[in-house]
Amino acid sequence: MDSNKKRQWLLWMLWALVVPAGLYLTYQYYPPEVLFEWELVAFAAFAVVTALLPLNINGTPMYLVQWVTIAVFLKYGLFIEILMSQLTMLVLLFRTRNAVARSERFTFNSLMFFVLSAFSGLVFFFAGGEIGSTNFAHIVLYGLLYQLIYLTANHLYLYADDVLTKSPKSFISLDSIWDFLITLLIFPYAITLYVLDASIGVYALVLLGLPFMVMTVVLRLYNSSEKINIDLKKAGNIGHQLADRLSQDEVIDQFIKHVATMFKTDYAYVIDYRKSQLLVMRIFQDGRLVEMDIPAVPYTKGIAGQVIAQNAPLLFGKQKQWIELATVQLPKDLESIMATPISRNNKIEGVLLVGSRKEFAFSANQLQIMEILSTYFAVSLEKAGYMENVIDKSERCGLTKLYNYRYLDETLERCMKKIETGALDQLSLIMMDIDWFKGVNDKYGHQSGNEILIQLADLLKQAVGEEGTLARYGGEEFVVLLPHYSKELALVLAENLRKQIAETPFTIQQSIQNEHKTETLHITMSIGVSTAPEDGDDGMAIIRNADRALYTGAKQAGRNRVAAYTK
């Protein structure tokens, strides 16, 4: 039997042993003078309505029902107060949406409310408090004692449960401080209700209850609008941060992290919509980006497909509402889902989907905020794409798409500074030049020469990979910059490149004398290698020495060979 089942059985056993017998004993030792009257029904009605209108403070609902239950206790006694508390507990049980099963929540909360009421009531009686008292000082003193004992016992009960379930939290938290302050706020209201009821009866509920309800509704509306304003401000800040990113990958990574944090999600997905298919681009799970190979699906399938088909966001509160829509394996513990289209220029380009393990974790207001964030994301992604194109054009050779001399020079200077500071131990540079390339251009034409340069660039990119920075230095010259490479290791790589190039057939379109036919030919390269810091203490010296090795050690020695710079 798993721990959850054991907990449920234990709670039911405790409830069965404590609550029914406790109610019987309370009735026997502290019997109510009145079991039913219409004024009591009015109190119960106001208690229920108050339970339905909690205030949300710091993300935690605060229930103000005790302004009624304290007055009920002082007027009708402990047994009636226990029944009233159990009634409001049932109302909260069906009003509050939670991932915990209602059967478990019923036993836990019913037992808690009974224990709190009984314990606080017994302390009240043992201290000398009396039900139905008309002494104002007596009412305030013992009523406040009852309320403070109730509040303290409530937090002790919850703290003990946290300890037993091995999820202990601080006994004194921001929520407990708010609870204490609200208790002090509503206590005078409860005492006033009791005293006024003793004078004018049920009309006290009308005079105090209706303004209290109106005040609660106004505060809830204000709190809701404030929450929306705060979320809008956060969304604006996220939009500004995204706009500062220069690459699309940065925009996507930062966006999904911000969204997951803002909405306190357990899962977040950025889904790309392209060529009639949906492909998951990013997954953010439990506070971190994760790699997961999820196959693409047709754009008409799944929850994301529904978003695209309807061009509208979707909100689900529990798993059974969306489980039949899912076409890929979503986490088994996923319950609540928000999904919204990512649109740019009135065209859907993707879907943002976030999820929580809790039921009904998201609200309609949050869905609207997420729509705004998706708009910011689409605009920032487009801007980053433009920036990447601009940077790409300024840093890369238009023909081969390799880095150009400007980028190589800047990267080399950065690496030399790291050499000076000790952040980089060695830096090798390989310079390559195609042998007899002028003859190729003269015989086959410059367009054919360009085709060879493009194919050579692709070969070098495959061979070098992520090991170094590959650039076209100019004309038929290429450079590879290799951080942490010794001269010996660089020479090994250079020799492998030389052999691979010499063995590779290059395909060209013959364009001289209008002879348009395909030919293959072989080329060779002469290569020079130099290494910092032993071969130079600045970038230009490293390039110059590699160039010397290339021409004196390789070209003049017969070409198609590798040479290292030596002093």
Side-chain angles (χ1 to χ4, degrees), residues 234-236 238-239 242 255 258-259 262-263 352 368-378:
K234 288 181 180 178
I238 292 172
L242 293 178
F255 174 68
H258 284 308
V259 167
M262 181 173 178
F263 297 118
L352 170 64
Q368 292 175 339
I369 298 296
M370 197 166 84
E371 285 187 84
I372 295 172
L373 282 170
S374 295
T375 302
Y376 287 146
F377 172 59

Side-chain angles (χ1 to χ4, degrees), residues 310-339:
Q310 300 176 17
N311 192 16
L314 294 176
L315 176 63
F316 300 106
K318 55 174 60 177
Q319 191 178 103
K320 68 179 183 180
Q321 295 174 349
W322 56 262
I323 191 65
E324 293 185 358
L325 292 174
T327 55
V328 297
Q329 185 62 47
L330 292 172
K332 293 181 179 180
D333 58 356
L334 179 60
E335 289 287 347
S336 302
I337 282 179
M338 283 196 300

Side-chain angles (χ1 to χ4, degrees), residues 141-197:
L141 176 62
Y142 291 105
L144 182 60
L145 174 65
Y146 170 85
Q147 184 59 17
L148 292 177
I149 292 297
Y150 192 102
L151 176 65
T152 305
N154 178 45
H155 286 287
L156 282 171
Y157 186 98
L158 294 174
Y159 182 74
D161 182 67
D162 288 338
V163 172
L164 290 173
T165 55
K166 298 180 180 180
S167 56
K169 301 172 185 176
S170 175
F171 180 71
I172 300 176
S173 63
L174 186 59
D175 289 341
S176 63
I177 293 172
W178 271 112
D179 203 7
F180 179 77
L181 293 174
I182 289 175
T183 296
L184 294 181
L185 177 67
I186 66 172
F187 178 73
Y189 219 89
I191 297 301
T192 303
L193 176 61
Y194 169 72
V195 172
L196 192 59
D197 177 75

